[in-house]
Amino acid sequence: MAIEKIHTENMFLHYGSKMALNNISISIPEKKITAFIGPSGCGKSTFLRSLNRMNDLIDGVKIEGNIFIDHINIYDKNIDVVTLRKKVGMVFQKSNPFAKSIFENVAYGPRINGIKDKNQLGEIVETALKNAAIWDEVKDRLGDSALGLSGGQQQRLCIARTLAVNPEIVLMDEPASALDPLSTSKIEELIVGLKEKYTIVIVTHNMQQAARISDLTAFFYLGELIEFDKTKKIFTNPEKKQTEDYITGRFG
Amino acid sequence: MTKKTKKEKRPEPSNSGLIDITRKKFRWSDYLAEKVIKGTAFLSITIIVLIFVFVFRESVPIFSSAKPVEKTETSAGAQPEQETYGEVTDKQVDPEVQETYGEVTDQPAAPEVQETYGEVTDNSEESGSTDESYTVSAGSGHDDNQTALKSLLTKDWVPVSEKPRYGILALIVGTFKITFISILFAAPLAILAALYTASFASRRVKEIIKPTIELLAGFPSVVIGFFALMVLASFLQDVFHYDTRLNSFVGGIAMGIAAIPIIFTITEDALTAVPKSFYEASLALGASKWQTAFFVILPAATPGIFAAVLLGIGRVFGETMIALMATGNAAQMGLNPFESVRTLAATIGAEMAEVVFGDTHYNVLFLIGSLLFIFTFVINAIAEFYVKGKLMKRIQGK
Amino acid sequence: MIRSYKNNIKGILIEGLTLSSALLIIAIVVVMVTVIVIGGKDQLSWEFLTSFPEDGMTKGGIFPAIYGTALLVILMSIAAVPFGTITAIYLTEYAKENSVIAKTIRFAVRTLAVIPSIIYGLFGLGFFIKFVGTQMDNTFMGGELKWGQPNILWASLTMALLTLPVVIVSVEEALKTVPNDLRAASLALGATKWQTIRKVVIPGSISGIMTGTILAVSRGAGEVAPILFTGVAYYVATLPASLSDQFMVLGYHIYVMTTQSANVDQTMPIQFGTTLVLLMLTFILNISAIVLRYRIRKKKSN
């Protein structure tokens, strides 16, 4: 069936002396939406950040075990982390546009990749903004500061910015948690549209959201991967008791 | 479904778009930037070390008695001491000249001073103008470093004479005296003002006080010195009726003005760093605002205030321009605040431009510099490590 | 009731005491400014600012001192601002907060900030003039004396060392106001660390770098002690034309005019005028720095 994109086996992660991820083994398919759910502090975000090595930036993080993307071990010592992050993009919980114009925000990635040609940049920006479903709203004011956009627009701009680098995987860390319902539904719609081209991994604390948009769902609890299966199965007939308790709202 | 199906590692990474992540790229710009930035960051440490090395290096010859003084320039040997610096502008200790400040050129030192110091008249050579040629090294030939070293701990500072003596005791006493006076003036004022700002002042009043203090911090010390010399000295003399117009009292007040912003700022920081919960708890127990300020906030911030005073001391101790302009510059040992004094820093500032490089006098000035440096370094280190540690303990209860 | 009445009195006394301390400080500042403004305002004229001293500095203007001050702070900034900025970047972007290196550098910076300015003067003399300058003379000038004596280059570099901590502290404060989210966003887009610093962090802290520069300039314009024997001159008839020339500055001009002038009474207006010019200069610089910093802090708290 689906082609495997991300694959981990017996992966552990420590923050200093504290174990944050315990023996994670998972296999995430290509061009699907995979959701990570679980109560806060369960390790889902930490795991997500391991997939493009953003955890490298945090002092005291130690990782054992391997993570493979397209069967390449991204924790191999020869891996070029900078290039990896271009291939594995990330959208953050809080929208974080640069204090630049809308255009420059999206053009940032291509520019650092050495694209200087104005026309080419213009095309990339337009495509990215269209893919992020925000083109119509901003096409007349690309020169305006990105900070003038609404929260939902900013988040879609951040998605566009990520897409402009042309990643293969897009990691999303609770991308709609800070938004109003209307903006949230727009973002959700957008995410569903994106899976045609990209492998998407999304962390969410909103179970309905996971149920609505994802193909597969992984339930994390206390640093462990409790259950991973088709979303439908997880939400209707989970195998583990803990999953069921969480889904039904008994804790978390 | 996909769970744990294709788990075996495949050595051939197929035709993945990620293939180019497997070759670590060497990025020149990043590598260079990091090296340059790292290297530059060490500059501040390097400078400290260099200051240590070079200020001490120039004072070392004093301790090596074997080396004779290099005479770069020998002046007419029998120069009368009074005239060491050509026209000496001796403004400090003559009662009669005090008021008519303008005419003080060519005044020999006051009789009292001569009595105290025998042949001393030249503790005024700071005023020898810089544009004069070096007629200076009078008598340095008679000296050697050993006698200089021996004379260090005496009270006679007579660097330019037939028999130069480099007793720095009077300078040290003068420096401490003036530091004491200025801290006595500045510390209570600054601390109380900071307490007001932190505990009582409304937002709007704060917005007046704080920028004013910042402005005061920006006052060049030469401007404060000028103010002290022109206005403050006469004013204080009118109030206190003392004889010597420029003295350690005037200098101390002027330096206190310079130290106020430091003490204020650090104290205010320490006071506002006291957790709000202390404040609220105290009020909840029925204490009034002033009781809280005095018995809760102030004690909790004591280490920080101590640091503030220490740094204020450091500031005053090494202050040069105010000392040059407002203290009278006579090296006297007395403890009377209304006598002229001469500080360590002012001595360097006044005399360094006129000494012969490599001369004993030159080395002694560097030695004084080393003392100043060590003193401020230690003060800062105490403020930094001891006090901060205590403050942390007190506030966070660690 | 009586107790609380007494307490009230005490409270009023204590608040009054602290208030009057604050007022006294403000009064001191106001008096100083007023005296200098009143004393110097009649002297201020275009001519005073743009002409040379005359008649053994008893008449004429202060142009060389203004020019020298400007040149000094420009050369100083060229040296101090890049080094200070880079050090601040190291401290915020590269060094780990609690590493020994970072702690040592921070301690060194704070020590530099408290070393008396006269010590910098000694260092400038011992290091720049007697060590570097003499070496340069021996190497390039065949022993002829050119760099081994006080000049504007050594004075500016000495002043740059003095103002380095000012720049570092201001820039560091500004760099810290750049949210970590933005750094993460840039890195997640595949930017390298240096690209992130260059394109996101530094542009986000330009105003901080400016504040630091202004404060450093203000400090450098007013300090006299460090340049007493590293390059400043009592009087030079020509403007400094090369780095090996001596120069005049406002602060030193005030000092020599008040303590060594042939006729202090006659030159009193010039003294007040010069002091007023220096004070205005530092005021303008400081106020703009205060405003800028206020804006940065506001941005941070948002």
Side-chain angles (χ1 to χ4, degrees), chain B residues 60-295:
Chain B
V60 158
I62 303 240
F63 301 103
S64 58
S65 50
K67 188 188 148 228
V69 184
E70 296 160 30
K71 278 178 283 177
T72 335
E73 222 175 324
T74 359
S75 65
Q79 214 177 10
E81 280 131 31
Q82 246 95 347
E83 293 172 14
T84 327
Y85 274 83
E87 325 114 322
V88 177
T89 335
D90 184 9
K91 60 180 188 288
Q92 77 271 34
V93 245
D94 199 328
E96 291 98 323
V97 229
Q98 303 317 324
E99 286 125 300
T100 51
Y101 183 72
E103 302 160 22
V104 266
T105 5
D106 274 27
Q107 284 291 342
E112 311 97 80
V113 184
Q114 272 170 339
E115 276 156 32
T116 330
Y117 292 109
E119 29 159 34
V120 189
T121 41
D122 40 17
N123 41 23
S124 54
E125 68 286 314
E126 86 291 342
S127 34
S129 33
T130 16
D131 59 342
E132 273 171 53
S133 59
Y134 291 165
T135 49
V136 183
S137 56
S140 59
H142 299 282
D143 204 335
D144 78 32
N145 293 310
Q146 202 160 20
T147 52
L149 188 59
K150 271 185 198 154
S151 72
L152 265 182
L153 290 178
T154 65
K155 60 195 178 93
D156 290 355
W157 177 256
V158 197
V160 186
S161 91
E162 289 271 317
K163 276 173 74 187
R165 273 154 297 153
Y166 303 100
I168 56 172
L169 279 188
L171 306 179
I172 292 177
V173 169
T175 309
F176 276 104
K177 187 164 87 172
I178 211 160
T179 305
F180 184 71
I181 293 170
S182 60
I183 293 303
L184 214 58
F185 166 70
L189 207 55
I191 292 169
L192 288 174
L195 187 62
Y196 178 77
T197 315
S199 302
F200 301 115
S202 67
R203 233 191 125 86
R204 285 186 60 187
V205 177
K206 266 185 207 167
E207 277 167 14
I208 298 171
I209 297 178
K210 289 176 119 185
T212 311
I213 300 271
E214 277 188 69
L215 275 188
L216 183 59
F219 264 67
S221 54
V222 70
V223 171
I224 298 178
F226 177 79
F227 175 77
L229 175 65
M230 289 294 166
V231 184
L232 193 64
S234 309
F235 172 75
L236 290 176
Q237 196 175 23
D238 286 347
V239 175
F240 294 97
H241 302 292
Y242 45 75
D243 293 335
T244 321
R245 185 171 173 272
L246 297 177
N247 55 40
S248 54
F249 181 63
V250 176
I253 299 288
M255 287 191 198
I257 294 177
I260 283 174
I262 294 182
I263 303 180
F264 177 91
T265 313
I266 301 172
T267 304
E268 216 249 347
D269 281 352
L271 291 173
T272 44
V274 176
K276 242 200 148 87
S277 55
F278 281 37
Y279 184 77
E280 282 158 0
S282 168
L283 288 183
L285 288 171
S288 64
K289 218 172 169 187
W290 73 267
Q291 283 171 324
T292 308
F294 236 75
F295 299 119

Side-chain angles (χ1 to χ4, degrees), chain A:
Chain A
M1 299 183 48
I3 304 163
E4 178 192 78
K5 189 74 181 173
I6 304 169
H7 170 89
T8 71
E9 209 168 288
N10 308 110
M11 182 224 166
F12 296 82
L13 185 145
H14 297 263
Y15 276 122
S17 59
K18 193 182 149 242
M19 186 184 282
L21 290 175
N22 183 5
N23 200 5
I24 307 290
S25 299
I26 194 170
S27 176
I28 295 168
E30 191 180 52
K31 294 185 179 164
K32 296 269 188 246
I33 300 175
T34 305
F36 293 171
I37 59 169
S40 39
C42 67
K44 56 192 192 304
S45 282
T46 306
F47 182 58
L48 189 79
R49 291 170 146 267
S50 304
L51 299 180
N52 68 345
R53 293 186 60 169
M54 288 301 276
N55 280 334
D56 291 13
L57 306 175
I58 300 165
D59 285 348
V61 169
K62 238 178 65 198
I63 287 175
E64 288 162 52
N66 295 316
I67 297 177
F68 297 91
I69 295 179
D70 284 347
H71 310 289
I72 299 166
N73 179 2
I74 62 165
Y75 279 87
D76 190 278
K77 65 180 183 344
N78 286 321
I79 290 297
D80 192 80
V81 180
V82 170
T83 315
L84 168 73
R85 294 196 186 122
K86 284 174 188 159
K87 303 289 180 183
V88 186
M90 184 159 209
V91 176
F92 296 82
Q93 180 170 8
K94 219 178 113 211
S95 62
N96 50 3
F98 302 124
K100 302 171 190 278
S101 70
I102 294 170
F103 183 90
E104 285 304 323
N105 260 283
V106 184
Y108 182 88
R111 273 191 208 277
I112 56 175
N113 281 327
I115 296 173
K116 292 197 180 84
D117 181 72
K118 271 259 145 80
N119 294 330
Q120 203 186 345
L121 275 178
E123 268 170 45
I124 294 173
V125 170
E126 185 176 337
T127 316
L129 286 170
K130 277 179 177 158
N131 285 339
I134 189 179
W135 171 252
D136 290 334
E137 290 159 65
V138 299
K139 65 182 175 199
D140 300 323
R141 45 173 176 146
L142 291 176
D144 292 4
S145 168
L147 301 179
L149 297 174
S150 74
Q153 287 172 324
Q154 283 190 6
Q155 193 59 295
R156 277 180 285 148
L157 178 70
C158 290
I159 295 175
R161 187 174 66 182
T162 305
L163 300 182
V165 191
N166 203 17
E168 302 195 357
I169 300 170
V170 179
L171 309 174
M172 298 187 172
D173 191 356
E174 307 195 19
S177 68
L179 302 177
D180 59 280
L182 195 69
S183 305
T184 302
S185 73
K186 272 192 185 163
I187 298 260
E188 286 179 5
E189 218 172 282
L190 160 62
I191 293 171
V192 173
L194 287 177
K195 75 171 173 182
E196 265 180 51
K197 291 186 199 149
Y198 308 94
T199 306
I200 298 195
V201 184
I202 179 170
V203 163
T204 175
H205 59 195
N206 179 336
M207 278 176 285
Q208 284 73 35
Q209 186 172 65
R212 278 195 299 267
I213 63 175
S214 68
D215 302 302
L216 298 120
T217 297
F219 172 60
F220 285 77
Y221 184 59
L222 295 178
E224 287 183 48
L225 175 61
I226 305 296
E227 194 169 352
F228 177 46
D229 214 322
K230 283 184 183 165
T231 299
K232 216 187 249 168
K233 174 127 192 332
I234 291 272
F235 280 94
T236 51
N237 186 18
E239 272 170 21
K240 301 271 168 61
K241 175 107 181 17
Q242 284 154 311
T243 316
E244 195 183 339
D245 286 351
Y246 182 70
I247 301 289
T248 52
R250 244 166 269 170
F251 68 87

Side-chain angles (χ1 to χ4, degrees), chain B residues 332-347:
Chain B
Q332 305 181 75
M333 287 281 270
L335 293 177
N336 180 355
F338 300 122
E339 272 174 8
S340 292
V341 289
R342 186 185 189 87
T343 69
L344 294 166
T347 306

Side-chain angles (χ1 to χ4, degrees), chain B residues 27 30 33 38 40-41 54 101 127 129-130 192 196 214 218 226 230 290 320 352 362 369 373 376 380 384, chain C residues 7 11 14 19 21 83 90 110-111 115-116 118-119 122 127 130 192 194 229 252 258 260 271 286 290 293:
Chain B
R27 293 179 172 82
D30 263 66
K38 225 176 184 166
T40 310
F54 278 88
Y101 183 72
S127 34
S129 33
T130 16
L192 288 174
Y196 178 77
E214 277 188 69
F226 177 79
M230 289 294 166
W290 73 267
T320 308
M352 185 52 91
Y362 171 90
F373 180 57
T376 42
N380 182 48
E384 179 101 340
Chain C
N7 252 343
I14 283 175
L19 172 63
S21 302
F83 280 116
Y90 177 77
R110 278 192 285 257
T111 305
I115 291 177
I118 191 82
I119 303 297
L122 287 182
F127 180 68
K130 287 208 59 193
T192 63
W194 174 233
F229 24 83
Y252 189 65
T258 49
Q260 284 153 45
Q271 296 168 25
N286 275 311
I290 291 172
R293 199 164 38 185

